[in-house]
Amino acid sequence: MLDLTQAYAGCPSSSLQFLHLPRETLLLYPFADSIVVLNARNLAFLRALAFWEVFPSTRHAPQSIQCLTVENGMKLVVASLGHRVVVWSLSGKQYDYWRVHSSLLLPDDLHITALSCTSGLLAVGTHSSLSVYTLILENDLPTWSLKWSTTVPSLSRVRFSPSLMYIAATSLYDNVVHIYLTTTGRQTQAISHPRPVTDLIWRNSPSSSRDDPILYTITTDATLRIFLPVLDAPQYLQLHSALDTFSSLPFSVASQETNSSVFRLDREVLNAALKSVLEQSQSREDDARRRRIHDITEEGWDIFLRVLGDGSLVVQAVANIDRRPPTLLKQFTLLQSASGVLSGPPAHLYIVPNPGRTSLTLVTSPPLKSYELAILPFFDARADGLKLVASGAEHADADAREDSRAEVVRFMRTPNGEGVGALRSDGSGEVWNFDWARTGRLVRKGRWTAGPERVDQFVVFDAGRRFVTYSSSNNLLTLRTVPPATLQVPPLTSLFALSSPSVSSPYRTLIGITASYTVVIISATISGDSTSLTLISESSLPLPAPPKRILPVDPMAWVGQYGSGARGVAQVHDVLLSVSEEGELAFWVPEGSLDGQREPATDGQTDRANGVAEKMRGREGQKVVWKCTGEVRTGRKGLSMARCSSAKKSVLIVPTPEGEELTIWDSKESEFALGLEYRQVLSDPINDLDWTATPDGQSILAVGFAHRVELLCQQRATYFDETPGWSVCWKIDMGGMVPHPISDSIWLARGTLLVGAGHLLFMFGQKRLEKSEKESEASEESLFEHVARLNGPLDEYHPQMILQCLLWEKIELVKSIIVNLARNVEFGRDIHDWETLPIEKFLQRDEEARATNVPHRPKYSLLFDIPEGKDEEEEDPFSPSVVQKLLDHFEEKPILHLTPSENASLLVLIQTALEIEEQRRALDPNGLRYLISMRSFYILNRRASEPSSPASPTNGTAPTLQLKRRERLRYRDMIWAFHSDSQEVLLSTSVAACGGKMCWPDARALGVFVWMRSTDAMRAHLEVVARNEYMAGDVRDPTACSLFYFALGKVKLVHGLWRQAAWHKEQQPMLKFLNNDFKEPRWRTAALKNAFALLSKRRFEYAAAFFLLGGSLKDAVNVCLKNLSDWQLAVALARVVEQGDDGPVLRAILNDTVIPLAFKEGNRYLASWAFWMLHRRDLAVRILVMPLQDMASVVDAQITEIGDPHYDDPSLALLFSQLKSKTLQTAQGTSEISGRTEFNFVLQIARVFCKMGCHVLALDLVRSWSFQRPSTVMRDSRAALRPPSPVSTRFALEPALRRKSSILIDIDVTTAPPTRRASPSRSPSRAASPPPQATREELKDERDLIARKAGLGSLMKSAKQDVKVPEFDMNAFF
């Protein structure tokens, strides 16, 4: 997904250091106050070591780290800044743990200029001294102890000899190489050079038996000199050979070569690679090349590389250095390559080992590049001997090498993310173009330096080619062109650019927000060499009070590469977001024109604000009128940060005592949606926020903390799991990479994230694969693909899609999906090539689909004709054998992109679809819905009980949410069974799901005594539950079943059970007590006393049983409600004891407990069931749609708390479509719901479908929903001649009136009271009239209500006629 693609960590200005590890080689160089650690082969950023971690006072110091050295034996990194030295060590089994090893503090007047560290010795050179320190352990802490110090000229470099006997040093002010003894610091020799010395190299030769010092020096004229000791003076070095341009090239060529560089190739690194090549078996064609490699290895040649001005390479060799006398030295040229191998002579060149490969890595600087050096082709002067592997992110020009050392403060990008700028802490800044198409890198286009007029705000446009800065010191806006254009503006607190109306337009529109919250529109004219800035307008938003913030709406979705411009459709988008002190969000666009005319659309990316700016050009000074397009009331006060995405998703940060509250709000606020989509309280402070958009318009939020960035995306809603609306889809952990805190992060084009930490920039995006990599391995899932998978439209075979199709009675569609899936699997197609069903299949009614899928049957012309064999009935493609093959396949090979739970659900749903087909006549649709929900309930609980390894919180995807075991079915699923006509089948299936023995916890989990309607069936099943409770476990305890048997009135049966419980200590008292006649008041009183005694002993269930024995059902129910917190048990006892649903105790439970609980939890299904049980079926329908606050004022129950509305369930519309015309009461309740409310309700359910990934079902819902009112049998023959309603009625579940010829009359039509409060009458003497638009809406609602009342009146009138059934008259037939 998001990988580190580039790290902008400066360009090395000095020599590089290398740390050799078993698996890789690390490249290190200083940049500002840090040490940058890269992989030497691919230049991948690994780590930054900050100097201020040890010395915090150097955090914002203007100096940079000057000296750096590496000790490979002890894996130490030593750096100095000023008079301070810090040492880091690399440890761990994988060498991946950096820690501070030690530090050294010199006197303040000593400025360190050179360092060298070898085998516990540290040489420190300053501008006036050379000192040597030894590493000792003091109190188990590594400490540097001064060995000696001597006064010397200002040093530029120091080097220990391999034998640690000598130190070579060079000075800043002369051309002399000084040789000192390591033991005493005495100078033994001074070697003069004709030119300044640029490098010192001691020759290390562990393979040689001699330990004589051999020194190489390189001067500025690209001459390498070899110094060896003479035989009679082994400590005295003399010049024995020199390699210059003339020694490697012909005189005619060398005399013209003015620019070259020479380097020594590390002999030990080179020999190790050469030997590994020789050990490999080669073909005969490689024999000649292998002989040259063999000579280099066996003869002990030292190899030197010269890079000429044209980029060609000359390889020279010096032989016999290890031999004596020195006159045997011989130098010769091995090869010369063609020009252009390198870009030019670099300042530094190194070869380092390439662990695991037979090749070497060649590193040059500047520019920082790494090459793969293939041994045989390179020494054969072939073009493929040196291949570029990676290059540094910074450019090689001098401007790039002068990178600002100040820390990044803030980023600002162009509207489409193709350009970005950075403002640094000293007021300087840079602007880049994001070249995503070719290189995927930032290309610097400009910069500004720190000056007296400090830059506070800036904007970037035209893909980073142009930018405008603003300074608060003089309120001057400057367009940085040649020549620059300036404009005096009011004091600004923020500044941003709008998208250009067209590429060829010379105008760019800028918007500034002042300290007094006025909006300033500025036009930048860029036409050839003519540039100007013009103040177009300054106006205020029409708000009742000054806002707390005014922010831009992120334009990425409609101006990016995937924006609306690609569709060629001109759209108007919001420009500003205002946030009030009370937390109210308002979205704003400028009016099209001041004269009321609408400006023409120029292209797909036309922006209204740009159009306004262009129209007002020439009419400066006039005010732009801003129009509000939407409002959201969040109730959040005291916010500290806010941002708004292209899709109008707003994120707010509000400090709270528990931490910072992050909330995400949708702009679509209605009576069915408050707008709040996500809420989380974070303990870590949030530093920054930024939005981006995917190609399909989804929003991704980057939340920046001190050392990490979390990416939040919308998460698809599910039918069974309560998942949050947003989730962390990716984490970028910077704590292990850089110690600096993150200052800002910003999205660029194509889902690329730029992160600034300290003075370093990091770019995260999709890695670019070479053609060979793309062919050899599947590319990693991109961020946009991952977000689409989490929240995009689902595949037709996804279990959630199949589940919703089954719930909405699209059985034939599910069969087609399964058959199509089986065909794709049978033909062995790749999952990306699977064929899908046409969308028309999803829009068909089940009856139409069944008629289409009926196989062709032979036609008979005569009664006794026999059809031919070829016309035999076709086999049904949806057969048990096909389904079984598909199940077996997915058991062995699950679908990869589905989770284990989703794969398991898919198998169950496929099996369920087959059972539905086989038992279609035994189950009605509501029974089917209950059956599906019950099976999913047990599957998810089984999955939640399985052990799973927790995901480690590493960089990358966030750990998935763990499944939680549910205690019961949702009330929604119980209601399906309550309204089912096949409850006998459902009961037997429920018992089978419990293993054939349903105890009370099982009955409560499945809501059996909630959805059963038959009193006799309830009594019979409660006896079954009582028997199972008694038989459960190894101990037969009569107390476990007494409550249920007493509710059934079977006291004698319990008495018999106690006779068998000889082991129980309470057997004798219970036998004696139950032997009495509890119809007598005295024994009932005794039972009640025992019940209270059991309450005191906290034996609540047994106490409830004794209350029943004493005839006090109310007290038993109270124990269940208050002490056991089990209202289902209370309902079961009341329904069984009162032998019906009209008893006072049951009604009290529903009114006092169930309905308040439903309002508290926002559970509309539970409330609907309770109202249905109370014979208030009008309220049972209204509660599904109407806001809970409105319903609370209508019901008789005492409502003290109202929870979330919970409109995020498509089954609400499913149940509403069933009940709204089922009975006369429900029809009355439906008439109390206005047409606008029902319309908005359907739109809300369609949005829920889209959140669930079922976009095609959302389309089917809005396409086929019927808004027609229920009516009785048509009596007016003229109505049949009327044209059909323009509202389509082809919804999957038609209202009940289409299945029945009349409506069920369940109220007294003569005395039925209205359930809606009367509308307030409008007084003609109002002081102020409402707004015209609001008046129209109120009048429309009034007319709608009057029409509905009239329709209900005719329905009631018709119902009254139906009630008056005339006496049967036989004469009517004659």
Side-chain angles (χ1 to χ4, degrees), residues 1050-1264:
K1050 298 190 176 184
V1051 181
K1052 295 301 181 182
L1053 193 150
V1054 177
H1055 185 268
L1057 296 179
W1058 274 108
R1059 289 184 177 182
Q1060 302 176 21
W1063 54 272
H1064 205 290
K1065 63 179 181 180
E1066 298 177 352
Q1067 183 193 28
Q1068 293 304 322
M1070 286 302 301
L1071 286 175
K1072 182 179 179 180
F1073 186 71
L1074 292 178
N1075 198 32
N1076 299 302
D1077 184 6
F1078 290 94
K1079 293 180 181 180
E1080 298 180 10
R1082 57 171 297 204
W1083 295 117
R1084 287 193 175 189
T1085 304
L1088 294 178
K1089 290 181 179 179
N1090 285 331
F1092 286 111
L1094 290 170
L1095 278 179
S1096 64
K1097 296 179 180 179
R1098 305 189 64 81
R1099 298 177 65 181
F1100 300 122
E1101 185 175 340
Y1102 208 29
F1106 270 81
F1107 276 125
L1108 288 180
L1109 190 61
S1112 180
L1113 173 63
K1114 184 177 180 180
D1115 289 330
V1117 163
N1118 287 336
V1119 171
C1120 296
L1121 296 175
K1122 297 179 181 179
N1123 301 109
L1124 296 176
S1125 300
D1126 190 349
W1127 67 264
Q1128 284 197 50
L1129 180 59
V1131 167
L1133 297 178
R1135 297 182 73 184
V1136 170
V1137 173
E1138 294 181 334
Q1139 299 185 7
D1141 298 337
D1142 299 323
V1145 175
L1146 177 61
R1147 297 180 67 87
I1149 296 172
L1150 297 176
N1151 279 313
D1152 300 338
T1153 301
V1154 178
I1155 292 179
L1157 176 65
F1159 274 84
K1160 180 180 179 180
E1161 296 180 354
N1163 197 304
R1164 300 175 180 274
Y1165 298 98
L1166 182 60
S1168 177
W1169 171 81
F1171 287 135
W1172 196 279
M1173 295 288 292
L1174 291 170
H1175 303 292
R1176 291 301 308 272
R1177 297 173 182 175
D1178 53 338
L1179 299 181
V1181 174
R1182 290 182 60 190
I1183 193 66
L1184 299 176
V1185 178
M1186 299 297 291
L1188 295 178
Q1189 289 81 0
D1190 296 348
M1191 295 298 299
S1193 60
V1194 176
V1195 302
D1196 299 331
Q1198 187 69 27
I1199 307 300
T1200 58
E1201 185 177 355
I1202 299 178
D1204 294 334
H1206 290 305
Y1207 280 110
D1208 51 353
D1209 189 346
S1211 292
L1212 285 173
L1214 190 58
L1215 185 59
F1216 177 68
S1217 67
Q1218 279 192 30
L1219 301 185
K1220 68 177 184 178
S1221 56
K1222 191 170 185 179
T1223 71
L1224 196 56
Q1225 268 197 12
T1226 60
Q1228 182 180 3
T1230 305
S1231 68
E1232 302 293 336
I1233 303 171
S1234 68
R1236 178 182 295 275
T1237 300
E1238 185 177 353
F1239 181 81
N1240 292 337
F1241 173 72
V1242 175
L1243 288 184
Q1244 169 66 19
I1245 299 302
R1247 294 190 193 103
V1248 174
F1249 266 134
C1250 293
K1251 289 181 180 180
M1252 297 175 66
C1254 305
H1255 294 66
V1256 65
L1257 297 184
L1259 175 62
D1260 181 48
L1261 176 67
V1262 298
R1263 181 175 178 268
S1264 56

Side-chain angles (χ1 to χ4, degrees), residues 659-675:
E660 292 191 324
E661 180 197 50
L662 183 148
T663 54
I664 299 178
W665 299 81
D666 187 25
S667 62
K668 299 179 180 64
E669 182 186 25
S670 68
E671 65 266 41
F672 303 107
L674 300 178

Side-chain angles (χ1 to χ4, degrees), residues 8-14 29-34 36 52 58-66 81 394 397-409 423-430 444 447-450 740 757-760:
Y8 297 86
C11 189
S13 57
S14 59
Y29 64 89
F31 175 60
D33 62 352
S34 303
V36 178
W52 52 265
T58 62
R59 170 73 186 273
H60 301 288
Q63 300 90 358
S64 300
I65 295 177
Q66 185 174 357
L81 192 155
E394 302 293 340
D397 57 327
D399 183 58
R401 288 197 294 270
E402 297 174 0
D403 293 290
S404 174
R405 278 10 184 202
E407 296 186 0
V408 174
V409 175
L423 179 64
R424 296 186 180 268
S425 58
D426 60 351
S428 64
E430 301 93 13
R444 177 174 287 157
R447 64 181 302 171
W448 67 90
T449 58
H740 298 78
H759 45 272
L760 306 175

Side-chain angles (χ1 to χ4, degrees), residues 177-190:
V177 176
H178 302 270
I179 308 297
Y180 301 91
L181 289 175
T182 304
T183 54
T184 62
R186 181 176 62 87
Q187 179 175 323
T188 60
Q189 189 177 355

